[in-house]
Amino acid sequence: MNIIFLTIIISLIIGVFFLFLFLHLVKTGQYDDVYSPSVRMLFDDELVKEKTENINDNKTINN
Amino acid sequence: MPKKTCYHCGADCNSGTVMFDDKPFCCNGCKTVYEILNQNELTCYYDLDQAPGSIPDEIKGKYDYLDNEDISSKLIEFNDGSTSVVNFYIPNIHCSSCIWVLENLDRLNKGIRATLVNFPKKEIRITFKNDETSLKDIVELMTSIGYEPFISLEDSEGKKAKIDRKLIYQVALAGFSFGNIMMLSFPEYFEVEGFWLDQFKPFFRFLMFGLAIPVVVYSARDYLISAYKGLKHGILNIDVPISLGILVLFFRSTYEIISQTGSGYFDSLTGLIFFLLLGKMFQQRTYNFLSFERDYKSYFPIAITKINKDNSHISIPVHEIEKGDRLLIRNEEIIPVDGIMINGNALLDYSFVTGESMPVIKKSGDKIFAGGKQTDGAIEMEVLQSVAQSYLTQLWSNDIFSKSDTKNIKNITDSISKYFTIIILFIALSAGIYWFFIDKTIAFQVVSAVLIIACPCALALSAPFAFGNILRIFGKNKFYLKNTDVIESISKINTLVFDKTGTITTNKSSNISYKGEPLNTSEIESLKSVLRSSNHPLSRMLYEYLPNSELKEITNYKEILGKGIQGRVNNIDIQLGSASYVGFDTQKLLNTIIYIKINNKIKGKYIFNNEYRKGLKSSFQLFSKNYDLAILSGDNAGEKDNLEHILPVNSQLLFNQKPEDKLRYIKSLQDQNKNVMMLGDGLNDAGALAQSNVGIAISENINVFSPACDGILDAKEFENLPNFINLSKKTMNIIKISFGISFLYNIIGMYFAVTGSLSPIIAAILMPFSSISVVVFVTISTNFISKKILH
């Protein structure tokens, strides 16, 4: 049963690792603005779609 | 015919519609923006939202000062020689397509490397190459597409408040330790007997001890420090019993573990701190996009154009303006200092200062005061006073602005905790003495158990959650408070003081009435035709007011600046304007009046009355039952009769009040032990707002500007003001009830403590349960009453 020492210590180490990761993310400002990224994510798609459409338009003009 | 709206900005297209690409635009500016966006393949801007832009202002020359390195270096946050980073506040950011356009700025200007929008704060962060573009180019580009950055004197003073994330760290740490300690204490809760568990007991306990140390040292430090400071000043604030509980919990648990007599209360300890910090976080909800600290600095420009002796123009920072300088004020620029008009047509909009929407006309030789916004072309002026000594800005040298923010009001929790602490200490002492004679070994345990269970967790949580929730509800109803303490201050007020112009009057429309010989239809038609040619705001208002009719051709049209206009229609001579213009005896002018003279005979006058806010009379009637009312106006007494009709008897009416007078009046009320709420809207109310117990700024557009205050109320919600005050009072009652409930929990806990039977599991159940139930109670009841009152 001594394995329990090891598992508990490992689980704590993992926990501490994520705690510090979280603190680090807060510190670097990743949680300062939780709204804009949600919108930004949608725009990336829009942009790609728009580009391809415009390329098609140009082609028809050239022809 | 359906009304055409601009494809870009959504404004109505009246005259001069520009057709481009088969789409209507209201002005050339909008068409240009469309063109730019189109060329750069950003047309999808228009698919995202209907008509998302807004009209750009005249910008030519406005940003020349950004080429001045002294000024631009103050704005730029980071510069390594080749790359610069700058942060701008852009009030116009309002929808998701704004983010999209602004984050694609690099496609419009190749020198821009990256842009990042912070939507809640309405800020944009731009990284650009110094040799490929300049700050001025970027600002002009943004302005031309309708996102004019707001650059004020305040920005140049740098030193932005660093975001304080300490509370998040503390909560994260406390939450982490709380969860893990709970898990480690589970075996002990169920008192599982057995060889293998006994073997691990010391290990588990040691781990719990290790996890609790950082929580006490870091997460709980603010409570300990505050309690220490309170004791030093002889104040028993709520943090005293909390700290007492925390310390006793920690040391008793440590003792138990070291002496191997028990498992300690580390679970309760960390849970307590975690919940307390959560409450604090809930209370600290702030409105990122609003600022409650604004003074004239956030409104005044950062730089101004100075005219040298040889007539060349240079941009100089506002602080360097000296007496005797000649300044050029462009259209839409704000006059930063007092001075004398030299030439140009001054039409000054003082709405930010006084709330008066009607622009004031000044002729050359007139004295002009700082704070006005020029609205009719460029003017030249000579400086009489430097910025700090100008009429308006002098107000800020008053002591009230240098006082620190804490008004030293004792809040409800702290005033209760005084008695609470004394009672707790008394109980602990008497229980200790009693057990000392019965069983000496238990005495120490009982005393510490009393102090642990008495730790006013539920008590300390009820006010933050109630206030935090009300703050959120107020925010939803467009009443934005600076912090939760304001709610308590509101509940205590007994005197209401209003500013007149802009606060109880709207600056949107004026009430126009006609007095004199009635005009016939053809005369009104002629009048309207003449008015059409004038750009003066009064003319435009009167033009809108007169009934629609066929417009006739006018001859001999003449506009005499600052006086009036004249013209000839169908052989009728029409003159309209000020009393002196039409040759009328100038009486003491109380209202804004346009006189009408037809064929050299004075026919009558149009009087512009103030339009009072909707629901003003009913609100005043409600207020008069419980509060003293007063109105302070910077204007003359022209509206006195009207106001007396609206106001209940016994209210004070004071006219011709200077900013300092308003401040002094509030102070004199406070000296009579009155709790004053001041409602104002302009910079001239700033002193009174700061002096009052609660200063509320009324704002037509909350994003634009409001002076330093405790709260900002959207003008549309003015009617709701009695309800907001009522709700604050009811909230205090709810908090008092919740205090009663938490005392009940304390009494139950005290029973276990005094009898010496407080086991860790009872503590671990009772403490979180009492806190959570109190939190649930205040949240539900505040939601309930606010629904009832604000419907």
Side-chain angles (χ1 to χ4, degrees), chain B residues 151-432:
Chain B
I151 304 170
S152 68
L153 193 55
E154 198 178 40
D155 295 321
S156 72
E157 300 194 338
K159 255 206 199 164
K160 276 180 191 150
K162 266 201 155 182
I163 317 158
D164 189 14
R165 305 192 184 93
K166 195 169 94 191
L167 190 59
I168 303 175
Y169 302 153
Q170 290 179 332
V171 172
L173 184 67
F176 169 79
S177 298
F178 172 53
N180 280 291
I181 290 175
M182 267 300 211
M183 205 123 87
L184 292 168
S185 21
F186 254 72
E188 304 238 23
Y189 286 164
F190 303 113
E191 287 175 25
V192 190
E193 292 295 325
F195 166 73
W196 74 268
L197 195 69
D198 282 338
Q199 198 188 346
F200 291 115
K201 251 184 190 168
F203 172 63
F204 278 22
R205 287 173 177 178
F206 180 71
L207 274 182
M208 288 194 274
F209 175 62
L211 283 167
I213 288 175
V215 178
V216 174
V217 173
Y218 183 69
S219 297
R221 66 186 300 179
D222 288 346
Y223 292 100
L224 302 175
I225 290 170
S226 154
Y228 173 71
K229 277 187 184 157
L231 285 177
K232 222 166 117 184
H233 293 105
I235 306 162
L236 289 174
N237 56 21
I238 188 72
D239 293 332
V240 173
I242 290 177
S243 303
L244 204 62
I246 289 172
L247 290 177
V248 171
L249 267 169
F250 181 70
F251 287 113
R252 170 157 172 189
S253 310
T254 312
Y255 167 78
E256 279 187 10
I257 282 176
I258 291 169
S259 66
Q260 299 205 338
T261 47
S263 60
Y265 302 87
F266 288 121
D267 46 353
S268 304
L269 170 67
T270 46
L272 170 88
I273 295 169
F274 178 59
F275 286 123
L276 283 172
L277 289 172
L278 276 186
K280 214 177 186 180
M281 202 147 103
F282 194 73
Q283 195 179 18
Q284 268 191 358
R285 175 186 207 89
T286 48
Y287 300 103
N288 275 331
F289 59 98
L290 292 177
S291 169
F292 295 98
E293 311 295 343
R294 285 175 180 161
D295 58 13
Y296 71 95
K297 281 184 194 139
S298 50
Y299 171 62
F300 273 31
I302 182 168
I304 202 81
T305 315
K306 182 179 156 184
I307 306 171
N308 289 332
K309 294 229 164 69
D310 57 350
N311 268 339
S312 59
H313 295 180
I314 52 159
S315 296
I316 57 164
V318 165
H319 284 307
E320 288 172 18
I321 299 176
E322 280 167 18
K323 197 179 157 181
D325 283 355
R326 269 174 73 202
L327 304 178
L328 176 75
I329 312 287
R330 293 194 178 83
N331 198 15
E332 297 290 306
E333 276 187 347
I334 287 154
I335 296 165
V337 288
D338 295 351
I340 286 183
M341 267 283 294
I342 296 178
N343 62 48
N345 303 340
L347 194 59
L348 303 176
D349 172 8
Y350 278 103
S351 58
F352 284 119
V353 181
T354 61
E356 174 62 59
S357 57
M358 214 88 74
V360 186
I361 297 168
K362 294 279 179 184
K363 295 177 300 221
S364 68
D366 283 354
K367 197 172 175 196
I368 48 180
F369 293 106
K373 189 187 208 178
Q374 164 64 358
T375 55
D376 190 15
I379 54 169
E380 277 177 38
M381 63 178 282
E382 191 178 311
V383 179
L384 285 182
Q385 306 276 5
S386 68
V387 175
Q389 277 156 7
S390 287
Y391 174 71
L392 181 71
T393 41
Q394 254 186 342
L395 183 64
W396 273 268
S397 57
N398 193 298
D399 286 345
I400 190 75
F401 290 101
S402 49
K403 263 187 208 161
S404 63
D405 213 26
T406 44
K407 285 178 185 164
N408 252 336
I409 35 152
K410 245 175 143 189
N411 62 38
I412 183 169
T413 320
D414 280 342
S415 50
I416 264 193
S417 80
K418 192 170 114 192
Y419 304 101
F420 186 83
T421 314
I422 293 167
I423 293 170
I424 295 306
L425 289 175
F426 176 74
I427 294 175
L429 200 70
S430 37

Side-chain angles (χ1 to χ4, degrees), chain B residues 88-93 102 122-124 142 146-150:
Chain B
F88 284 124
Y89 171 65
I90 302 178
N92 262 1
I93 296 182
L102 287 171
K122 303 194 183 221
E123 277 181 359
I124 184 169
M142 288 201 293
Y147 296 102
E148 185 172 6
F150 187 80

